[in-house]
Amino acid sequence: MELFQHVIGGSEVPSIDGQTMPDIDPYTQEQWADVALGGPADADKAVAAARDAFDNGLWPRMGFDKRHKILHAFADLMDEHAHELAMADTRDMGKPITQALHDAARSSWNVRFFADHALMSMADTYPMDSGHHAYSTYGPAGVVVAISPWNFPLMMSSWKVAPALAWGNTVVLKPAEDTPASATIWARLALEAGIPPGVLNVVHGFGPDSVGEALTHHPDVDRITFTGESGTGKIISAAAAANLIPVSLELGGKGANIVFDDADIDNAVNWAVQAIFRNAGQVCLAGSRLFVQNRIYDEFMSRYKTAAENMLVGDPKDPKTEFGPLASAEHHKKVTSYFSTVKEDGGRILTGGPTEGLYVSPTIIVDAPASARVCREEIFGPVVAVQRFDSESEVVREANSTPYGLNAMVFTENLSRAHRVAENLKAGTVWVNCFFIRDLRAPFGGVGDSGVGREGGNFSREFFTEPKAVVMQINRKED
Ligand code: NAD
């Protein structure tokens, strides 16, 4: 049986009290690894290691160029170990291996991108007419706590940790309790690449009354970056406020996917399937509310249903599999609890539903009114609620009617409409005629219950640094 321990101060260590927790593979529903189960004392130890590495270590002081080289070596090692990293996520949460490999490639890209970005944007200058010269530098903020969710274990962790490291911070990463394995493997690779001990620490455990809570209340922490549920985000925001430290919150969503009657239907069907059934719908950005314009409704739905039913369901370790089980028994219980609400709320299941083990097959719900729970709440599973619409203004109003505002998709061949609708949607990201495509320079985050703050490119720089302005008088006369 494999063992995944904490990585603190450059060493793999057990919990102080020796406790462990089982790591369950949702496909077999059996334990495949043992994991150190940390508590508040382990959180303290990890923060102390990160604090020491920040206050007394080389990493914040070595300069951008050297850090850039080490981070690129780290990314290269991640590519060499991509299969090991991806398989850890597949075993931990049932993500099909081809998708986990895609996440692993995106994760090493996160490391390379933020290393390059920091090197190229480490300072700004502001020449002044008044005989002064101003410039700004972006020094590291200090000790960063990164708390990640289970749906994209490595990718979400690297999205937070890569910019934090590139700007010279030290980090304590707490992966989700259901998906701990890739974080320990990743921290081993960081050490091998030459990232000094104590710069990237990993501590495993739960959130409330456990490692997560202890980290977010810790007085020696300078930044908290969190991705997870909106309710947890509120609790973490309150903890950060008590210590007066900035917090970045990437939270839940109920994405609207709008298909107008002039859309390229093949393209819209393809993305509408990906938008809710990729990663078995366990995606914050999922297009879980699908709006289809009346004139094309029947044709679109017939193709959409066929495409959903044709997804290759199977063993997530098989490269052919497109659709795996849900991540855990607890999550399966939550997702399947929505099935009894469909009829109660006036909807109908067109296709799908729970099958064997922890599988829920691609599920399409029709005829549910906008007030139905499946149209309003984040199910976080392979369940899409389809609504019809007539006009642009009607669909924009409906799309904006939940407390969330993470993202939306628009399918139309009408350029003016695409711009108009994108402008009017309440969302941090709007995709037009595509989905999930990211430029890491662009802001990423949500409005309303979907989050606070943005990360990506300069937005990550704002969060992970303490910018400093220097203004100098320049003597214009020769001495
Ligand atoms: P979660 O909030 O239950 O847990 C997320 C992490 O927070 C875990 O590591 C957990 O241990 C920790 N945690 C829980 N309670 C805590 C507390 N009181 N103090 C400190 N840490 C605590 O979320 P989840 O179920 O792991 O993830 C699914 C959620 O994440 C969904 O709502 C999804 O939409 C959201 N998500 C958002 C984005 C985004 O970019 N906006 C990306 C991925 C997932």
Side-chain angles (χ1 to χ4, degrees), residues 147-152 156 159 174-177 205-209 211-214 216 226-233 235-236 249-253 282-285 331 378 380 404 406 444-446 450:
I147 301 183
S148 40
W150 51 260
N151 61 335
F152 287 89
M156 279 287 114
W159 170 245
K174 195 206 89 58
E177 52 274 19
F206 292 87
D209 302 321
V211 166
E213 190 175 313
T216 53
F226 168 78
T227 299
E229 286 183 8
S230 303
T232 316
I235 294 168
I236 289 179
L249 303 172
E250 295 185 349
L251 308 176
Q282 301 161 123
V283 181
C284 54
L285 302 163
H331 190 56
E378 186 186 41
F380 217 56
Y404 295 110
L406 190 57
F444 182 77
S450 289

Side-chain angles (χ1 to χ4, degrees), residues 52-277:
D52 183 50
F54 187 79
D55 291 345
N56 307 309
L58 203 55
W59 188 253
R61 294 164 191 87
M62 71 170 51
F64 288 92
D65 203 22
K66 273 194 177 160
R67 279 203 298 265
H68 178 265
K69 283 196 179 69
I70 296 174
L71 288 170
H72 270 261
F74 184 26
D76 292 345
L77 272 176
M78 289 170 69
D79 287 346
E80 279 170 37
H81 290 259
H83 198 266
E84 187 188 358
L85 288 162
M87 193 51 90
D89 283 354
T90 292
R91 300 292 311 262
D92 269 358
M93 62 152 300
K95 184 189 291 275
I97 185 67
T98 43
Q99 293 173 29
L101 281 164
H102 177 270
D103 292 0
R106 242 305 295 283
S107 300
S108 62
W109 174 237
N110 282 341
V111 173
R112 285 194 186 93
F113 169 82
F114 284 110
D116 293 355
H117 179 264
L119 186 67
M120 290 166 68
S121 60
M122 62 170 99
D124 289 316
T125 58
Y126 313 96
M128 297 166 74
D129 282 345
S130 61
H132 297 83
H133 179 79
Y135 63 91
S136 55
T137 56
Y138 299 91
V143 172
V144 172
V145 160
I147 301 183
S148 40
W150 51 260
N151 61 335
F152 287 89
L154 181 66
M155 192 164 109
M156 279 287 114
S157 296
S158 61
W159 170 245
K160 299 170 171 313
V161 172
L165 293 182
W167 288 103
N169 300 283
T170 61
V171 175
V172 178
L173 167 65
K174 195 206 89 58
E177 52 274 19
D178 286 330
T179 53
S182 58
T184 289
I185 301 169
W186 195 45
R188 285 178 197 148
L189 298 177
L191 288 165
E192 195 181 329
I195 294 178
V199 171
L200 173 55
N201 306 278
V202 172
V203 62
H204 296 294
F206 292 87
D209 302 321
S210 179
V211 166
E213 190 175 313
L215 289 173
T216 53
H217 285 86
H218 206 294
D220 280 342
V221 167
D222 301 292
R223 294 285 186 280
I224 301 173
T225 168
F226 168 78
T227 299
E229 286 183 8
S230 303
T232 316
K234 289 177 189 169
I235 294 168
I236 289 179
S237 186
N243 284 330
L244 220 56
I245 56 167
V247 60
S248 167
L249 303 172
E250 295 185 349
L251 308 176
K254 191 72 185 169
N257 184 3
I258 304 170
V259 183
F260 285 98
D261 61 11
D262 61 356
D264 171 339
I265 294 193
D266 285 337
N267 186 47
V269 166
N270 170 47
W271 283 118
V273 166
Q274 295 297 322
I276 186 64
F277 301 131

